[in-house]
Amino acid sequence: MLAALALFVLPPLEVKASWSGLIRRGEPALEAFERLQTTFGMGERLVMLVEAEPPLAIDTALDLAKALKERPEIAGLAAPVPGVDLPGVQSEDRSKAALYLEIDRAWSSPAKVTALARELRAIPTPEGVRVSMGGSVMEEVALADVVLADQQRIVPLVFLGLMIVIALFLRSVRVALVVAVGLGVTFLITLGAHGLLYGPLTTVTSLLTPIVMTIACANAMHFVARWRRGRRDDGTIRPGTLKSAINTCLLASVTTATGFLALFVMGAPEFDRLAVLGSGGCITAGVVLSALLPVLLPWAEKRPGGTRVPFQGLVDIGIRQVRRRGKMAVLLVLALIVAGTGMTRLETSTVLLDQFPESSDMPRIAQVLAEDLGGIGVADVLWYSPAGFRSEAGLARLREAGKQIEAAIPDVGPVLNAGTAVERMRQEAEVTETAALALYESGGLGKLPRLLDPDGTEARIMVWLPPGSTEGFLTNVRRIEAALGDIAGPEDRVQPSGAPYLISLSTDALVRDQAFACILSILIVSLIAAVVFGSIGVLPLIWVPNLLPLVAMAGLMGWVGEPLSASTAVVGSVVFGLIVDDTLHFLVCLKEARGERQSAARTLARLGPAFLATSVLLVTGAAIAGLGNAGPTALFSRLMAVGVGLALLCDLYLTPRLAARLRLWHAKG
């Protein structure tokens, strides 16, 4: 019934991209950004990159600027100035020029901006001139298109790959069909809930589709393996087996869900959605499988079947290590710790630019703006002063602020505010400063962004900053604040804002937030395990084999130079919630085997094939999803595959040895 209802609320096959959903709630810079949009009329920004042989590029950019000033969609325009070398708008060899367009709010929807960009690109230009369109809104639209294409192409491949692996490992097409039914119901309910609550998928919540499918299949694999171990020769199930299989499946679903729930600490709307729907999808998978598999498995398992284990030798090595107290566990711990030292090399990156495939033109445009034109990020700073700026003294303070900023930041691009704009107009029109201010506010001398609020007490300062890392951008913004602080009055307020600043703030917080989310996930899972097993003695077995893979995974990211971004920010807590499932299955089986000789080794012998099968299943699903062109999904999936692979080594060679060492339930090697 729920699946049928979900069909009516499924989101349309559409993907949205929005960096604003990645900003923490209550951020003062976000409130300032809203004032920029409402009070100052700031809309989306486009960058028009003109490339040609000098001086054709500059001449074409100037001609385009004249034409664009007449268009009602353009609220503001920054362009090259004849005879003046300005970083950020033209290259030193004058072969490249950039026009920075601020779109009027009435035309600022992604669809309208995309249509406008096509119109602007189609404006006739001289032969040999290349015109490209960039900017955050273009990046969002382009990324959404890539993610949508992946959803249409990769998700069916993930589903097909998972079904093939299940059929091969369980040696039963019927069982694969049963799992497919459970997977389909889970898929419909999860996406239906997304459509009902939030509408279309976003570039972040699109991660849900392959993740939930893979998690559901892994749970099904464990359920079927446990079902087969408890089945008699006549096909009936031993008492307690079904109840134990259902309880373990639900427990694994709950612990996996905690990895998603911990994302609430990220504090951003996009991560809140992922937390709600990811945890709901995991629990839905557990409930659906627990309800369907006991009903359908007797039909699918008319003849006794077994689990195909191509890598049984790996399990046998682990069993020998437990029985003979081998040193492989120690060597594995040392290797993972050494890999984890790469965490010191981790850096953060922008949210969108690193997420495009090589075929996209967006990274090239960003690189040209950064390396050839010397500026990519525009910082908007709001300066409130009760004394006001609509006077000669106020405009002089703004001009002084521009000089202070230029002195504080090496290689800074243009600094635009009402003072500098009025001064330029006064010189060009040869009028008084009061007349120039009136001309500026009426738009009589060209089209500039609104730089003063209606009552003149708050000024907007736009600074084209030199390229660099996230930390470098934030450092330059702090220099701007310090420069303004030297001339601001005691009652003045200075608040940086703007899209690049907000994105940099969000990216800079990823390390702290990811660590906090991981810690919260670990604490919740530890509490659940201590309550379920009635002992805090299980906690070392929860922590050691599941934290080491995360440390090694983060270290490997540092060694290969993979920066932290929005997609990698969620991988820690989600992967922990996923890989801890095998540890819980081991603990359940170990507790049931108490009193047996060599119980740790016997437990590994029983569960080893299932560990291998589920790990291969998870790695297969993640590897196929990692083939996509969309950076967020592909990068997350590849990291998930690495984390699951490292966790498998711990499950085989560290967990049983540690259990025997701790003598849980009198376990022995």
Side-chain angles (χ1 to χ4, degrees), residues 2-4 6 10 159 178-194 208-209 211-217 219-220 253 277-292:
L2 287 175
L10 277 174
F159 181 84
V178 169
V179 174
V181 172
L183 199 61
V185 174
T186 302
F187 182 78
L188 287 176
I189 293 175
T190 303
L191 285 190
H194 191 293
L208 279 173
T209 311
I211 293 175
V212 170
M213 283 200 301
T214 307
I215 290 172
C217 284
N219 268 347
S253 299
L277 296 168
S279 58
C282 292
I283 294 174
T284 298
V287 173
V288 168
L289 293 174
S290 298
L292 288 182

Side-chain angles (χ1 to χ4, degrees), residues 140-182:
E140 291 176 6
V141 172
L143 182 57
D145 291 341
V146 173
V147 173
L148 177 59
D150 272 1
Q151 289 285 308
Q152 296 170 332
R153 179 173 59 92
I154 294 296
V155 171
L157 290 178
V158 171
F159 181 84
L160 182 61
L162 293 174
M163 292 304 102
I164 291 174
V165 171
I166 287 178
L168 290 177
F169 269 82
L170 297 180
R171 301 183 181 184
S172 173
V173 175
R174 285 190 172 192
V175 173
L177 291 175
V178 169
V179 174
V181 172

Side-chain angles (χ1 to χ4, degrees), residues 59-72:
D59 293 340
T60 303
L62 293 174
D63 291 340
L64 288 171
K66 292 178 183 178
L68 294 175
K69 286 179 180 178
E70 306 303 322
R71 296 191 65 114

Side-chain angles (χ1 to χ4, degrees), residues 221-285:
M221 184 74 80
H222 270 300
F223 191 102
V224 174
R226 195 168 185 82
W227 172 283
R228 287 179 171 178
R229 288 198 306 271
R231 187 178 52 190
R232 299 189 181 97
D233 294 337
D234 60 1
T236 59
I237 303 299
R238 293 187 181 90
T241 297
L242 180 59
K243 180 180 178 182
S244 176
I246 291 175
N247 290 341
T248 307
C249 180
L250 292 175
L251 176 62
S253 299
V254 170
T255 54
T256 306
T258 60
F260 284 98
L261 285 174
L263 298 179
F264 271 117
V265 302
M266 308 290 279
E270 283 294 292
F271 294 124
D272 290 350
R273 295 181 183 183
L274 193 60
V276 171
L277 296 168
S279 58
C282 292
I283 294 174
T284 298

Side-chain angles (χ1 to χ4, degrees), residues 452-510:
L452 289 176
D453 69 348
D455 61 5
T457 57
E458 191 166 37
R460 175 187 179 189
I461 302 175
M462 301 173 64
V463 185
W464 273 255
L465 292 175
S469 64
T470 298
E471 181 55 37
F473 186 92
L474 293 176
T475 299
N476 283 329
V477 171
R478 286 191 284 270
R479 289 172 178 166
I480 295 174
E481 290 184 275
L484 295 180
D486 293 338
I487 57 177
E491 297 181 1
D492 292 4
R493 292 195 307 269
V494 175
Q495 177 60 60
S497 189
Y501 178 67
L502 287 170
I503 291 174
S504 297
L505 275 183
S506 173
T507 306
D508 190 56
L510 291 179

